Amino acid sequence: MAKARSVYRCTECGHDHPKWVGRCEACGAWNAVAEEPIAAPRPHRATASRAEGRRSAGPAPARLRDIATSPLARWRTGINEFDFVLGGGIVPGSMTLIGGEPGIGKSTLLMQAAARLEHAGRAVLYASGEESPDQLRLRAERLEEDAGAVQVLGETRLEAILDGARAIAADVVVIDSIQTVYTDTLESAPGNVGQVRECSGQLMRFAKETGTAVVVVGHVTRGGGIAGPKTLEHIVDTVLYFEGEATLDYRLLRATKNRFGSVDELGVFSMTERGLIAVPNPSAIFLAARSDAISGSAVTALMEGTRPVLVEVQALAAKSGYGTPQRVATGLDPKRLAVLLAVLERRANTSFADLDVFVQVTAGVRLSEPGADLAVAAALLSSLYNRPTPADGIFLGEVGLGGEIRPAGGVERRAVEAARLGFRRVFGSTRAGVQVPGMSLVGLDHVEQLVRALAA
Ligand code: TYD
Ligand code: MG
């Protein structure tokens, strides 16, 4: 076979180099040059079809209204939180990427899903370059599910994996992981940017052409992105991230891109001796360890995708030693904490000046929406005054630089979830309007009123 020829193209600007370089000669981007196979030159479609006459032209354009809609088929795995995050199940012909740190449970989840899909009559190929087939078997034996029927392949050559998938007419192919796979068309090593891109591209084409659902595992770098090019995320249909504190039993699965469903949906699992188990009621789990007699704790309801989830915000303001007081935020942007502290000092006449301040969110959840501001402020004040926040209250609202409190979006749905878990009061903007049976609103327009409400 003739040696495959390739070109080294910058993924930023598209400039071609005759050999690999660390820095693009044209745009100067570092580590952006990736090996790509030189495709056989394809005649330009317009010229070609003109030469051959009209017959061989591609599909004709059609009006949107004339296009028949067919309901999207989905294969449910029966692992409810997984199906939920996917938007209802795996879509045939789709490509899904699951990212997460080593040991978080990606292989476990996918083996469980593979077992269940196999039981539902789907042919599943689990190709692993990370573990040998006997290691896979050892893992499978621990699981609740019987994965015995799942076909496994300890192979990293993409062409061989695709042949294997065709041979068993696989409905679903799992690739664990994309960084271990390589294609013959490139000479570079597996895991290299060019390899990851090219293999993903080929897998995507395979999925679309055969209707096979492809699920790939992607390693996460220390920065939190998926190792290899960002383009991997652009190629696939769905990107799921698996996260969680290694020391905790919970695992959070989140969709950050989904062509077939909504994003930011949160699925919660717990890691047990027998694999991952979906947690149907995350709020209850997140609040389980909460003691409402302790100061510095406030509960809020976050909108995670379409579903409200209750979490506890904890703050500790402690006399600092020498030097500049520390501000430590876990699960929250440190800049947001700085803003809230400044607002409390200037607008509510409090002082954190010689106190170290620590804020954290339980269960490894991140506060990324402004609606959680009020809970952070309440936890801070509660710690400052050493007074617990009301045990039956949740805090919902955005805090502005003037100290004003604005309503959070979707208050109604959050309040319903809180009522279900036994909360009776929403502390939030007077404009929030809570009409949930058993729930009342403690209206607050300014952080000064929050101070009074908590000190009373
Ligand atoms: P794994 O799925 O191998 O993680 P990843 O593929 O993301 O690297 O998960 C490995 C961890 O999960 C490992 O620490 C062992 C633990 N585990 C359980 O606690 N219970 C189980 O049933 C299984 C299979 C694994
Ligand atoms: Mg693994």
Side-chain angles (χ1 to χ4, degrees), residues 51-108:
E52 295 164 28
R54 292 198 154 222
R55 278 168 301 122
S56 64
R63 300 223 183 262
L64 269 178
R65 63 169 172 263
D66 298 333
I67 291 169
T69 55
S70 50
L72 203 57
R74 289 187 188 271
W75 296 331
R76 297 184 60 83
T77 63
I79 303 173
N80 288 337
E81 296 283 294
F82 185 44
D83 290 338
F84 168 70
V85 173
L86 283 168
I90 296 181
V91 176
S94 70
M95 183 163 167
T96 306
L97 170 68
I98 299 194
E101 289 178 7
I104 201 78
K106 302 180 292 297
S107 306
T108 305

Short mmCIF file of all heavy atoms in Angstrom, two decimals, residues 51-108:
data_model
loop_
_atom_site.label_atom_id
_atom_site.label_comp_id
_atom_site.label_asym_id
_atom_site.label_seq_id
_atom_site.Cartn_x
_atom_site.Cartn_y
_atom_site.Cartn_z
N ALA A 51 -20.70 18.46 -16.98
CA ALA A 51 -20.08 17.59 -17.96
C ALA A 51 -20.94 16.35 -18.19
O ALA A 51 -21.09 15.89 -19.31
CB ALA A 51 -18.69 17.17 -17.48
N GLU A 52 -21.53 15.81 -17.11
CA GLU A 52 -22.27 14.55 -17.24
C GLU A 52 -23.75 14.78 -17.56
O GLU A 52 -24.52 13.84 -17.65
CB GLU A 52 -22.21 13.76 -15.92
CG GLU A 52 -20.81 13.31 -15.55
CD GLU A 52 -20.73 12.90 -14.10
OE1 GLU A 52 -21.77 12.47 -13.55
OE2 GLU A 52 -19.66 13.03 -13.50
N GLY A 53 -24.13 16.01 -17.61
CA GLY A 53 -25.55 16.28 -17.81
C GLY A 53 -26.20 16.37 -16.46
O GLY A 53 -25.56 16.20 -15.43
N ARG A 54 -27.50 16.61 -16.43
CA ARG A 54 -28.18 16.93 -15.18
C ARG A 54 -28.44 15.72 -14.30
O ARG A 54 -28.74 15.86 -13.13
CB ARG A 54 -29.49 17.65 -15.47
CG ARG A 54 -29.20 19.04 -16.05
CD ARG A 54 -30.39 19.94 -15.94
NE ARG A 54 -29.91 21.32 -15.91
CZ ARG A 54 -30.41 22.24 -15.11
NH1 ARG A 54 -31.38 21.93 -14.27
NH2 ARG A 54 -29.95 23.46 -15.13
N ARG A 55 -28.40 14.53 -14.87
CA ARG A 55 -28.82 13.33 -14.15
C ARG A 55 -28.13 13.14 -12.80
O ARG A 55 -28.78 12.82 -11.82
CB ARG A 55 -28.54 12.09 -15.00
CG ARG A 55 -29.60 11.80 -16.04
CD ARG A 55 -29.08 10.77 -17.00
NE ARG A 55 -27.86 11.20 -17.68
CZ ARG A 55 -26.69 10.56 -17.64
NH1 ARG A 55 -26.59 9.44 -16.96
NH2 ARG A 55 -25.64 11.03 -18.27
N SER A 56 -26.82 13.35 -12.77
CA SER A 56 -26.10 12.97 -11.56
C SER A 56 -26.05 14.08 -10.51
O SER A 56 -25.30 14.00 -9.56
CB SER A 56 -24.68 12.56 -11.92
OG SER A 56 -24.04 13.69 -12.47
N ALA A 57 -26.87 15.13 -10.66
CA ALA A 57 -26.87 16.19 -9.66
C ALA A 57 -27.34 15.63 -8.32
O ALA A 57 -28.08 14.65 -8.29
CB ALA A 57 -27.77 17.32 -10.12
N GLY A 58 -26.93 16.26 -7.22
CA GLY A 58 -27.30 15.79 -5.88
C GLY A 58 -28.78 16.01 -5.63
O GLY A 58 -29.52 16.34 -6.55
N PRO A 59 -29.20 15.79 -4.40
CA PRO A 59 -30.62 15.95 -4.10
C PRO A 59 -31.07 17.39 -4.36
O PRO A 59 -30.30 18.34 -4.17
CB PRO A 59 -30.73 15.62 -2.62
CG PRO A 59 -29.33 15.66 -2.10
CD PRO A 59 -28.42 15.42 -3.24
N ALA A 60 -32.29 17.54 -4.85
CA ALA A 60 -32.80 18.87 -5.15
C ALA A 60 -33.27 19.55 -3.88
O ALA A 60 -33.73 18.88 -2.96
CB ALA A 60 -33.97 18.73 -6.12
N PRO A 61 -33.14 20.87 -3.80
CA PRO A 61 -33.65 21.58 -2.62
C PRO A 61 -35.16 21.40 -2.51
O PRO A 61 -35.83 21.18 -3.52
CB PRO A 61 -33.31 23.04 -2.92
CG PRO A 61 -32.34 23.02 -4.04
CD PRO A 61 -32.55 21.77 -4.79
N ALA A 62 -35.67 21.47 -1.30
CA ALA A 62 -37.11 21.33 -1.13
C ALA A 62 -37.59 22.40 -0.19
O ALA A 62 -36.82 22.94 0.62
CB ALA A 62 -37.42 19.95 -0.54
N ARG A 63 -38.87 22.77 -0.29
CA ARG A 63 -39.43 23.75 0.63
C ARG A 63 -39.61 23.08 2.00
O ARG A 63 -40.03 21.94 2.08
CB ARG A 63 -40.79 24.23 0.14
CG ARG A 63 -40.70 24.89 -1.21
CD ARG A 63 -41.53 26.16 -1.28
NE ARG A 63 -41.47 26.69 -2.63
CZ ARG A 63 -40.65 27.67 -3.00
NH1 ARG A 63 -39.85 28.24 -2.12
NH2 ARG A 63 -40.63 28.09 -4.25
N LEU A 64 -39.34 23.89 3.03
CA LEU A 64 -39.44 23.35 4.40
C LEU A 64 -40.80 22.72 4.65
O LEU A 64 -40.91 21.66 5.23
CB LEU A 64 -39.22 24.48 5.42
CG LEU A 64 -37.78 24.69 5.87
CD1 LEU A 64 -37.73 25.86 6.84
CD2 LEU A 64 -37.23 23.44 6.54
N ARG A 65 -41.88 23.40 4.17
CA ARG A 65 -43.22 22.90 4.48
C ARG A 65 -43.52 21.56 3.80
O ARG A 65 -44.41 20.85 4.20
CB ARG A 65 -44.28 23.93 4.10
CG ARG A 65 -44.34 24.23 2.62
CD ARG A 65 -45.57 25.04 2.25
NE ARG A 65 -45.49 25.47 0.86
CZ ARG A 65 -45.06 26.66 0.46
NH1 ARG A 65 -44.73 27.58 1.35
NH2 ARG A 65 -44.98 26.96 -0.81
N ASP A 66 -42.73 21.23 2.76
CA ASP A 66 -42.98 19.97 2.06
C ASP A 66 -42.20 18.81 2.67
O ASP A 66 -42.31 17.67 2.23
CB ASP A 66 -42.58 20.09 0.59
CG ASP A 66 -43.43 21.15 -0.11
OD1 ASP A 66 -44.57 21.36 0.36
OD2 ASP A 66 -42.94 21.76 -1.09
N ILE A 67 -41.37 19.13 3.65
CA ILE A 67 -40.55 18.07 4.22
C ILE A 67 -41.35 17.33 5.29
O ILE A 67 -41.91 17.93 6.20
CB ILE A 67 -39.24 18.66 4.80
CG1 ILE A 67 -38.38 19.14 3.63
CG2 ILE A 67 -38.50 17.63 5.63
CD1 ILE A 67 -37.21 19.98 4.02
N ALA A 68 -41.45 16.02 5.11
CA ALA A 68 -42.24 15.21 6.05
C ALA A 68 -41.50 15.15 7.37
O ALA A 68 -40.30 14.93 7.41
CB ALA A 68 -42.43 13.81 5.48
N THR A 69 -42.25 15.38 8.45
CA THR A 69 -41.60 15.27 9.75
C THR A 69 -41.87 13.87 10.30
O THR A 69 -42.98 13.36 10.22
CB THR A 69 -42.16 16.29 10.76
OG1 THR A 69 -43.57 16.11 10.82
CG2 THR A 69 -41.82 17.70 10.35
N SER A 70 -40.83 13.27 10.80
CA SER A 70 -41.04 11.98 11.46
C SER A 70 -40.58 12.15 12.90
O SER A 70 -39.59 12.83 13.15
CB SER A 70 -40.22 10.91 10.77
OG SER A 70 -38.90 11.35 10.63
N PRO A 71 -41.33 11.61 13.84
CA PRO A 71 -40.91 11.78 15.23
C PRO A 71 -39.53 11.15 15.44
O PRO A 71 -39.23 10.11 14.85
CB PRO A 71 -41.99 11.04 16.02
CG PRO A 71 -42.69 10.16 15.04
CD PRO A 71 -42.51 10.77 13.69
N LEU A 72 -38.72 11.83 16.22
CA LEU A 72 -37.36 11.37 16.47
C LEU A 72 -37.40 10.05 17.24
O LEU A 72 -38.02 9.98 18.29
CB LEU A 72 -36.67 12.45 17.30
CG LEU A 72 -35.16 12.52 17.28
CD1 LEU A 72 -34.64 12.69 15.86
CD2 LEU A 72 -34.71 13.68 18.14
N ALA A 73 -36.78 9.03 16.66
CA ALA A 73 -36.72 7.75 17.39
C ALA A 73 -35.70 7.89 18.52
O ALA A 73 -34.71 8.60 18.38
CB ALA A 73 -36.31 6.65 16.44
N ARG A 74 -35.97 7.27 19.63
CA ARG A 74 -35.02 7.28 20.73
C ARG A 74 -34.97 5.90 21.36
O ARG A 74 -36.00 5.27 21.54
CB ARG A 74 -35.44 8.28 21.81
CG ARG A 74 -35.28 9.71 21.38
CD ARG A 74 -35.54 10.60 22.56
NE ARG A 74 -35.59 12.00 22.19
CZ ARG A 74 -34.52 12.79 22.17
NH1 ARG A 74 -33.34 12.32 22.48
NH2 ARG A 74 -34.65 14.05 21.83
N TRP A 75 -33.77 5.51 21.70
CA TRP A 75 -33.61 4.24 22.41
C TRP A 75 -33.37 4.55 23.88
O TRP A 75 -32.34 5.08 24.25
CB TRP A 75 -32.43 3.45 21.83
CG TRP A 75 -32.66 3.05 20.41
CD1 TRP A 75 -33.86 2.81 19.80
CD2 TRP A 75 -31.66 2.85 19.41
NE1 TRP A 75 -33.66 2.47 18.48
CE2 TRP A 75 -32.32 2.49 18.21
CE3 TRP A 75 -30.26 2.94 19.40
CZ2 TRP A 75 -31.65 2.21 17.03
CZ3 TRP A 75 -29.58 2.67 18.22
CH2 TRP A 75 -30.27 2.30 17.05
N ARG A 76 -34.35 4.21 24.67
CA ARG A 76 -34.19 4.44 26.11
C ARG A 76 -33.28 3.37 26.70
O ARG A 76 -33.35 2.22 26.31
CB ARG A 76 -35.55 4.38 26.81
CG ARG A 76 -36.52 5.46 26.35
CD ARG A 76 -37.80 5.39 27.16
NE ARG A 76 -37.51 5.61 28.58
CZ ARG A 76 -37.38 6.81 29.12
NH1 ARG A 76 -37.56 7.87 28.37
NH2 ARG A 76 -37.10 6.94 30.38
N THR A 77 -32.41 3.80 27.61
CA THR A 77 -31.55 2.82 28.24
C THR A 77 -32.21 2.27 29.50
O THR A 77 -31.83 1.23 30.00
CB THR A 77 -30.20 3.44 28.66
OG1 THR A 77 -30.46 4.45 29.64
CG2 THR A 77 -29.49 4.05 27.48
N GLY A 78 -33.19 3.00 30.02
CA GLY A 78 -33.81 2.58 31.27
C GLY A 78 -33.05 3.10 32.48
O GLY A 78 -33.49 2.95 33.61
N ILE A 79 -31.86 3.71 32.25
CA ILE A 79 -31.17 4.41 33.34
C ILE A 79 -31.74 5.82 33.26
O ILE A 79 -31.34 6.62 32.42
CB ILE A 79 -29.65 4.41 33.15
CG1 ILE A 79 -29.13 2.97 33.02
CG2 ILE A 79 -28.95 5.13 34.29
CD1 ILE A 79 -27.66 2.88 32.65
N ASN A 80 -32.72 6.09 34.14
CA ASN A 80 -33.56 7.27 33.94
C ASN A 80 -32.81 8.58 33.82
O ASN A 80 -33.08 9.38 32.93
CB ASN A 80 -34.58 7.38 35.07
CG ASN A 80 -35.65 6.31 34.92
OD1 ASN A 80 -35.85 5.81 33.81
ND2 ASN A 80 -36.29 5.93 36.00
N GLU A 81 -31.87 8.82 34.72
CA GLU A 81 -31.17 10.11 34.69
C GLU A 81 -30.34 10.26 33.41
O GLU A 81 -30.18 11.36 32.89
CB GLU A 81 -30.27 10.25 35.92
CG GLU A 81 -31.02 10.28 37.23
CD GLU A 81 -31.68 11.62 37.51
OE1 GLU A 81 -30.97 12.60 37.70
OE2 GLU A 81 -32.92 11.67 37.55
N PHE A 82 -29.81 9.18 32.90
CA PHE A 82 -29.03 9.19 31.67
C PHE A 82 -29.95 9.52 30.49
O PHE A 82 -29.67 10.42 29.70
CB PHE A 82 -28.36 7.82 31.50
CG PHE A 82 -27.41 7.72 30.33
CD1 PHE A 82 -26.49 8.71 30.04
CD2 PHE A 82 -27.41 6.59 29.51
CE1 PHE A 82 -25.61 8.60 28.98
CE2 PHE A 82 -26.54 6.46 28.45
CZ PHE A 82 -25.64 7.47 28.17
N ASP A 83 -31.08 8.84 30.41
CA ASP A 83 -32.05 9.10 29.35
C ASP A 83 -32.53 10.55 29.40
O ASP A 83 -32.66 11.22 28.39
CB ASP A 83 -33.26 8.17 29.48
CG ASP A 83 -32.90 6.73 29.15
OD1 ASP A 83 -31.90 6.52 28.45
OD2 ASP A 83 -33.63 5.83 29.60
N PHE A 84 -32.78 11.02 30.62
CA PHE A 84 -33.28 12.37 30.83
C PHE A 84 -32.30 13.41 30.31
O PHE A 84 -32.67 14.33 29.57
CB PHE A 84 -33.54 12.55 32.33
CG PHE A 84 -33.79 13.96 32.76
CD1 PHE A 84 -34.97 14.60 32.40
CD2 PHE A 84 -32.86 14.64 33.52
CE1 PHE A 84 -35.20 15.90 32.80
CE2 PHE A 84 -33.09 15.93 33.92
CZ PHE A 84 -34.26 16.58 33.56
N VAL A 85 -31.02 13.25 30.65
CA VAL A 85 -30.01 14.22 30.22
C VAL A 85 -29.84 14.18 28.71
O VAL A 85 -29.63 15.21 28.06
CB VAL A 85 -28.67 13.97 30.95
CG1 VAL A 85 -27.57 14.85 30.39
CG2 VAL A 85 -28.83 14.24 32.44
N LEU A 86 -29.99 12.99 28.12
CA LEU A 86 -29.88 12.88 26.66
C LEU A 86 -31.07 13.52 25.96
O LEU A 86 -31.02 13.78 24.77
CB LEU A 86 -29.81 11.40 26.27
CG LEU A 86 -28.47 10.70 26.47
CD1 LEU A 86 -28.64 9.20 26.32
CD2 LEU A 86 -27.45 11.22 25.49
N GLY A 87 -32.15 13.74 26.70
CA GLY A 87 -33.36 14.31 26.09
C GLY A 87 -34.40 13.24 25.82
O GLY A 87 -35.34 13.46 25.06
N GLY A 88 -34.25 12.06 26.44
CA GLY A 88 -35.25 11.00 26.30
C GLY A 88 -34.69 9.68 25.83
O GLY A 88 -35.41 8.70 25.70
N GLY A 89 -33.40 9.62 25.58
CA GLY A 89 -32.79 8.37 25.15
C GLY A 89 -31.78 8.65 24.05
O GLY A 89 -31.60 9.78 23.62
N ILE A 90 -31.11 7.57 23.62
CA ILE A 90 -30.09 7.71 22.57
C ILE A 90 -30.78 7.79 21.21
O ILE A 90 -31.68 7.01 20.92
CB ILE A 90 -29.13 6.50 22.61
CG1 ILE A 90 -28.36 6.50 23.93
CG2 ILE A 90 -28.18 6.52 21.43
CD1 ILE A 90 -27.37 5.37 24.06
N VAL A 91 -30.37 8.76 20.41
CA VAL A 91 -30.97 8.93 19.09
C VAL A 91 -30.17 8.12 18.05
O VAL A 91 -28.95 8.28 17.96
CB VAL A 91 -30.98 10.42 18.69
CG1 VAL A 91 -31.51 10.61 17.28
CG2 VAL A 91 -31.80 11.23 19.70
N PRO A 92 -30.83 7.24 17.30
CA PRO A 92 -30.13 6.48 16.27
C PRO A 92 -29.44 7.41 15.28
O PRO A 92 -29.99 8.45 14.92
CB PRO A 92 -31.24 5.69 15.57
CG PRO A 92 -32.39 5.69 16.53
CD PRO A 92 -32.26 6.90 17.37
N GLY A 93 -28.22 7.06 14.90
CA GLY A 93 -27.49 7.88 13.93
C GLY A 93 -26.83 9.10 14.55
O GLY A 93 -26.29 9.95 13.85
N SER A 94 -26.88 9.21 15.87
CA SER A 94 -26.28 10.38 16.52
C SER A 94 -24.91 10.04 17.08
O SER A 94 -24.56 8.87 17.22
CB SER A 94 -27.17 10.87 17.67
OG SER A 94 -27.13 9.95 18.73
N MET A 95 -24.14 11.07 17.38
CA MET A 95 -22.85 10.86 18.01
C MET A 95 -22.80 11.67 19.31
O MET A 95 -23.08 12.85 19.32
CB MET A 95 -21.73 11.28 17.07
CG MET A 95 -20.35 11.01 17.64
SD MET A 95 -19.14 11.07 16.32
CE MET A 95 -17.62 11.12 17.25
N THR A 96 -22.48 10.98 20.38
CA THR A 96 -22.49 11.58 21.71
C THR A 96 -21.10 11.48 22.32
O THR A 96 -20.44 10.45 22.19
CB THR A 96 -23.48 10.83 22.62
OG1 THR A 96 -24.75 10.81 21.99
CG2 THR A 96 -23.61 11.50 23.99
N LEU A 97 -20.67 12.56 22.95
CA LEU A 97 -19.37 12.57 23.62
C LEU A 97 -19.61 12.66 25.12
O LEU A 97 -20.39 13.48 25.58
CB LEU A 97 -18.60 13.81 23.13
CG LEU A 97 -17.31 14.18 23.84
CD1 LEU A 97 -16.23 13.14 23.56
CD2 LEU A 97 -16.83 15.55 23.37
N ILE A 98 -18.94 11.79 25.87
CA ILE A 98 -19.04 11.87 27.33
C ILE A 98 -17.66 12.19 27.88
O ILE A 98 -16.73 11.41 27.73
CB ILE A 98 -19.56 10.56 27.95
CG1 ILE A 98 -20.95 10.28 27.40
CG2 ILE A 98 -19.58 10.66 29.47
CD1 ILE A 98 -21.70 9.23 28.15
N GLY A 99 -17.54 13.37 28.49
CA GLY A 99 -16.26 13.79 29.05
C GLY A 99 -16.29 13.69 30.56
O GLY A 99 -17.34 13.72 31.17
N GLY A 100 -15.12 13.57 31.14
CA GLY A 100 -15.04 13.53 32.59
C GLY A 100 -13.66 13.09 33.02
O GLY A 100 -12.92 12.50 32.24
N GLU A 101 -13.33 13.39 34.27
CA GLU A 101 -12.01 13.03 34.77
C GLU A 101 -11.89 11.52 34.93
O GLU A 101 -12.89 10.83 35.07
CB GLU A 101 -11.79 13.72 36.12
CG GLU A 101 -11.59 15.21 35.93
CD GLU A 101 -11.42 15.95 37.25
OE1 GLU A 101 -11.32 15.29 38.30
OE2 GLU A 101 -11.39 17.18 37.19
N PRO A 102 -10.65 11.04 34.93
CA PRO A 102 -10.46 9.59 35.12
C PRO A 102 -11.08 9.14 36.45
O PRO A 102 -10.99 9.85 37.45
CB PRO A 102 -8.94 9.44 35.17
CG PRO A 102 -8.39 10.65 34.51
CD PRO A 102 -9.39 11.75 34.74
N GLY A 103 -11.73 8.00 36.43
CA GLY A 103 -12.27 7.43 37.66
C GLY A 103 -13.62 7.96 38.04
O GLY A 103 -14.18 7.57 39.07
N ILE A 104 -14.20 8.84 37.23
CA ILE A 104 -15.48 9.43 37.60
C ILE A 104 -16.63 8.45 37.35
O ILE A 104 -17.69 8.53 37.98
CB ILE A 104 -15.68 10.77 36.85
CG1 ILE A 104 -16.70 11.65 37.54
CG2 ILE A 104 -16.07 10.56 35.41
CD1 ILE A 104 -16.16 12.35 38.74
N GLY A 105 -16.43 7.52 36.42
CA GLY A 105 -17.47 6.51 36.18
C GLY A 105 -17.99 6.44 34.76
O GLY A 105 -19.05 5.88 34.51
N LYS A 106 -17.24 7.01 33.80
CA LYS A 106 -17.70 7.01 32.41
C LYS A 106 -17.85 5.59 31.86
O LYS A 106 -18.87 5.24 31.29
CB LYS A 106 -16.70 7.78 31.53
CG LYS A 106 -16.48 9.22 31.96
CD LYS A 106 -15.49 9.93 31.05
CE LYS A 106 -14.05 9.42 31.13
NZ LYS A 106 -13.41 9.59 32.43
N SER A 107 -16.80 4.77 32.07
CA SER A 107 -16.85 3.40 31.54
C SER A 107 -17.94 2.60 32.24
O SER A 107 -18.63 1.80 31.60
CB SER A 107 -15.51 2.71 31.75
OG SER A 107 -14.47 3.48 31.19
N THR A 108 -18.11 2.83 33.52
CA THR A 108 -19.14 2.11 34.28
C THR A 108 -20.52 2.44 33.74
O THR A 108 -21.32 1.55 33.45
CB THR A 108 -19.05 2.48 35.78
OG1 THR A 108 -17.72 2.23 36.22
CG2 THR A 108 -20.02 1.68 36.61
#
